[in-house]
Amino acid sequence: MKAKVIVTPKKAVLDPQGKTVQNALEHIGFKGVKDVRIGKYIEIELEGTDREAALRSIQEASHKILSNPVIEDYSVEICD
Amino acid sequence: MKAKVIVTPKKAVLDPQGKTVQNALEHIGFKGVKDVRIGKYIEIELEGTDREAALRSIQEASHKILSNPVIEDYSVEICD
């Protein structure tokens, strides 16, 4: 079983890394880029088959150590 | 229109950041974590409505500047 966690900066938080990528994209000729936000992608390989328990456990982990809930949002998805 | 790009280290490439997170998870009591891989998540807000063109353009950008194709894989998804 696999858990996919995406951690992104909250909308209200400045994302200088994203701004830099946006400028770089424009600089090399990519038009029409309105905004870029950069986050983290975390793939966790899990033992067991209980999806509900896995979801709860990974949500707790996301809140505790994978993200900083003050400035970041996270989403968790469990797949096979 | 929004493009979501996920950049992950290739399977054969060591991921020390992932290993550190795996150790941290075990350390604070999360059991059954077999592997952790950490990548980047890039959300790009685009002008226009041509999904095909957007996909081609973002795939090119992913190859050229968002990832290092020698050690990283990327996947692109276009959504509304």
Side-chain angles (χ1 to χ4, degrees), chain A residues 6 8 21 25 28 30 32-39 41-47 57 61 65-66, chain B residues 6 8 21 25 28 30 32-47 57 61 65-66:
Chain A
I6 287 175
T8 47
V21 169
L25 284 170
I28 64 163
F30 288 96
V33 175
K34 283 199 286 188
D35 193 29
V36 178
R37 308 282 290 176
I38 296 193
Y41 171 78
I42 303 151
E43 209 172 78
I44 303 170
E45 190 76 46
L46 293 162
E47 281 167 11
S57 151
I65 71 163
L66 301 177
Chain B
I6 287 176
T8 46
V21 169
L25 284 170
I28 65 164
F30 289 95
V33 175
K34 282 198 287 188
D35 193 28
V36 178
R37 308 281 291 174
I38 296 194
K40 278 174 290 187
Y41 172 77
I42 303 150
E43 210 173 76
I44 303 170
E45 190 75 46
L46 293 162
E47 281 167 8
S57 152
I65 70 163
L66 302 177

Side-chain angles (χ1 to χ4, degrees), chain A residues 24-71:
Chain A
L25 284 170
E26 280 163 16
H27 189 72
I28 64 163
F30 288 96
K31 305 272 178 257
V33 175
K34 283 199 286 188
D35 193 29
V36 178
R37 308 282 290 176
I38 296 193
K40 278 174 290 185
Y41 171 78
I42 303 151
E43 209 172 78
I44 303 170
E45 190 76 46
L46 293 162
E47 281 167 11
T49 53
D50 185 344
R51 293 171 75 100
E52 282 299 311
L55 183 62
R56 271 198 308 277
S57 151
I58 296 299
Q59 268 171 340
E60 194 192 338
S62 300
H63 194 81
K64 277 189 179 165
I65 71 163
L66 301 177
S67 77
N68 175 352
V70 178
I71 56 166

Side-chain angles (χ1 to χ4, degrees), chain A residues 9-15 37 70-71 73:
Chain A
K10 279 185 198 284
K11 283 277 172 285
V13 175
L14 282 179
D15 180 8
R37 308 282 290 176
V70 178
I71 56 166
D73 291 322

